Amino acid sequence: MNQREFENEVKNLLNEHEKLIRRKNEPLPSKNHIFRRYKYPIITAEHTPIFWRFDLNYDTNPNLLERLGINSAFNCGATKCNGRYCLVVRVEGYDRKSFFAVAESSNGIDNFRFWDYPIIMPEIDRPDVNVYDIRLTQHEDSWIYGVFCTERKDPKAPEWDTFSAEAQAGIARTKDLIHWERLPNLKSPSLQQRNVVLHPEFVDGKYGFYTRPQDEFIQTRKGGGIGWGLVEDIENPVITEEIIIHPKAYHTIYEVKNGEGPAPLKTDEGWMHLAHGVRNTAGGLRYVLYLYMTDLKKPWQMTHLPGGYFLAPEGEERVGDVSNVVFSSGWIADENGNVFIYYGSSDTRTHVVTTTLEKLIDYVVNTPEDPLRSTLCVKQRKDLIDRNLKIGRVK
C-alpha cells in the first residue's frame, strides 16, 4: 500500500478500537438475585492499544503488519485509585509470555482503557520466565502489594524436559501502580506455591498470607487446600509454619484443588473470601468460584462455608484457551456497599458481575453447607420444598 492508504488504514484501526473501548455494557437479568452479569466482556485482547501490537511507522512497516500480537487479557487484580476502578490485567502475547498492565474505568463495568505502558516489573536474582495472576492488597501499612505467580523451569528437571516448571509467590509493592519495588519471593515449607494472597491487616503485628501449597507445578498431590501463614518481616518474607484452613475434599467443587481469589473484604460479620475450586470431569478440569467467611480476629478460622459454587462459566465463558474455567483474583467494594467482582473466563477474557455486600453476607451466612452425601443433599432440598409449600406461594 502507498503512504496515503497506510494512513487511512491506521485511522480505521484506531477508530474501530475506540468504538470497542466506548461500547456501553448492558446488564443482564439476574437468574439468582445474588449478582448481575453483563452482556459483554469488559476486557479482551482487542482492548489492548493498537500501538502495542502494530508498528505504525510507514518506513519500517509499509504493509501495516501486526508485529507483537496479544492472545488474551484475563485474571486481573483490582483496586480503586483516585476514584477510578483500576485493574492490573494479565496480558498474554502470542509468544505465551504474560505481563501486567493497568486498565482503568470511571464506572467499573465498561470503557476500560489501558495505560500507555505495561508495568515494568523488576526482577530478582533468579529472573522470572513468566509472571501472572496478580492479587492486589491495600495493606494497612499504606503500601499496595501485588502478590503473583512467578514461574521458571524446574531446576531439577533434565535439559530435555521443557515442560516441568516451578511456581513460587512473587511479591512487589507500589504507591501508584506505576513504580514497583520488588521484594524477595515468599519462602514457605511447601515445595511450590500458587494463588498466594496477602491479608489486608496486621495479625499480631505480622503479615498474614493465604497460600496454596503444592508438591508439583500442576498437581498438588499431598499439598493443596487454602493455607495460612505469618511473616515477621515483609522484606524478608518467610513462613515457618503453614496450616491448611480449607482443604480439598472428595466429590466436591474443590476435589482436585482450591485457592484464594482476591484479598478478603472486611464486613461486620467477618472476613468475606472469594476462592476458586477445581473438580474433575470427563471433559477435563472445571474451575468455579465459591465464597466463605472467616473470623474477624482470627482470619484463619472459617465461620461460614456455603455449599456448592457461587459462580460457574456460562455460554461463551466456557470456551477459550483453557475451557470451562472461571477464575477471579480481583474485586472492589465501594463505600456505598456495591461490589464489583472481576473474573477471567477460560484463560481468555475478563468479565464483571455486580452485587452488594449485603447480598453477599446474606448468601454466605444463610446458605446451607454441603452435607457431602447425596441422601443428605436430598433431605436439605426436601426441607426447602416443605417450607415453600407450607406458605402456599408455588401454585
Side-chain angles (χ1 to χ4, degrees), residues 197-356:
V197 181
L198 177 63
H199 188 69
E201 296 183 356
F202 288 112
V203 178
D204 297 329
K206 301 176 183 179
Y207 291 87
F209 281 89
Y210 302 95
T211 64
R212 211 275 297 287
Q214 52 193 82
D215 299 330
E216 297 180 6
F217 180 66
I218 300 295
Q219 301 294 332
T220 59
R221 301 210 182 273
K222 290 184 292 184
I226 296 173
W228 170 261
L230 294 174
V231 163
E232 294 269 3
D233 178 7
I234 197 66
E235 296 184 4
N236 181 32
V238 178
I239 294 175
T240 56
E241 182 182 3
E242 187 177 19
I243 62 172
I244 298 299
I245 65 175
H246 185 219
K248 56 189 180 181
Y250 171 74
H251 209 82
T252 63
I253 61 166
Y254 33 79
E255 69 182 7
V256 175
K257 49 191 172 183
N258 53 327
E260 192 80 355
L265 302 177
K266 192 174 188 179
T267 78
D268 292 339
E269 299 291 330
W271 288 101
M272 177 78 65
H273 297 255
L274 180 64
H276 63 269
V278 187
R279 58 164 283 206
N280 276 311
T281 76
L285 298 180
R286 172 174 165 87
Y287 281 66
V288 299
L289 303 179
Y290 68 97
L291 292 166
Y292 70 98
M293 188 173 285
T294 58
D295 185 80
L296 280 176
K297 294 183 179 180
K298 299 178 180 179
W300 61 91
Q301 291 188 359
M302 186 178 292
T303 58
H304 298 88
L305 177 62
Y309 62 73
F310 168 72
L311 187 149
E314 290 186 359
E316 73 166 2
E317 297 173 356
R318 299 183 64 184
V319 179
D321 280 2
V322 184
S323 294
N324 211 13
V325 168
V326 287
F327 187 96
S328 179
S329 47
W331 58 3
I332 293 174
D334 280 345
E335 291 183 358
N336 63 6
N338 291 331
V339 179
F340 299 75
I341 301 175
Y342 299 100
Y343 64 99
S345 71
S346 296
D347 282 13
T348 300
R349 59 195 80 80
T350 304
H351 307 260
V352 65
V353 297
T354 55
T355 183
T356 66

Side-chain angles (χ1 to χ4, degrees), residues 36-227:
R36 185 180 296 277
R37 273 182 159 95
Y38 287 79
K39 181 176 181 179
Y40 302 113
I42 58 170
I43 297 175
T44 67
E46 287 72 33
H47 284 77
T48 59
I50 296 297
F51 55 87
W52 285 13
R53 296 178 266 147
F54 290 83
D55 179 353
L56 302 179
N57 187 328
Y58 180 75
D59 292 335
T60 53
N61 191 21
N63 292 309
L64 195 58
L65 305 182
E66 185 180 54
R67 297 299 192 197
L68 293 173
I70 299 295
N71 180 66
S72 50
F74 59 109
N75 293 7
C76 61
T79 191
K80 205 82 173 284
C81 290
N82 301 317
R84 299 180 68 83
Y85 299 82
C86 291
L87 307 183
V88 177
V89 184
R90 173 183 177 178
V91 181
E92 183 180 278
Y94 284 1
D95 56 14
R96 199 185 166 195
K97 307 303 184 294
S98 294
F99 56 89
F100 301 127
V102 178
E104 69 170 45
S105 162
S106 61
N107 61 20
I109 59 172
D110 55 27
N111 287 268
F112 276 94
R113 190 179 298 273
F114 278 96
W115 292 358
D116 283 352
Y117 289 94
I119 291 172
I120 305 300
M121 183 61 69
E123 293 185 316
I124 57 176
D125 292 342
R126 188 178 169 210
D128 320 288
V129 172
N130 202 28
V131 294
Y132 49 89
D133 297 352
I134 193 167
R135 277 78 162 185
L136 301 180
T137 298
Q138 178 69 67
H139 198 272
E140 70 169 310
D141 72 359
S142 81
W143 285 94
I144 300 172
Y145 287 88
V147 184
F148 53 91
C149 185
T150 169
E151 178 188 325
R152 307 167 182 86
K153 182 179 178 179
D154 188 337
K156 300 185 297 295
E159 185 177 350
W160 54 262
D161 182 351
T162 55
F163 175 77
S164 296
E166 174 192 63
Q168 298 296 344
I171 306 173
R173 61 186 177 185
T174 181
K175 298 283 189 177
D176 56 12
L177 301 184
I178 300 172
H179 306 95
W180 292 79
E181 176 189 359
R182 184 73 180 266
L183 303 176
N185 291 347
L186 181 69
K187 294 180 181 178
S188 74
S190 303
L191 295 176
Q192 300 203 33
Q193 285 285 0
R194 299 179 84 166
N195 304 299
V196 175
V197 181
L198 177 63
H199 188 69
E201 296 183 356
F202 288 112
V203 178
D204 297 329
K206 301 176 183 179
Y207 291 87
F209 281 89
Y210 302 95
T211 64
R212 211 275 297 287
Q214 52 193 82
D215 299 330
E216 297 180 6
F217 180 66
I218 300 295
Q219 301 294 332
T220 59
R221 301 210 182 273
K222 290 184 292 184
I226 296 173

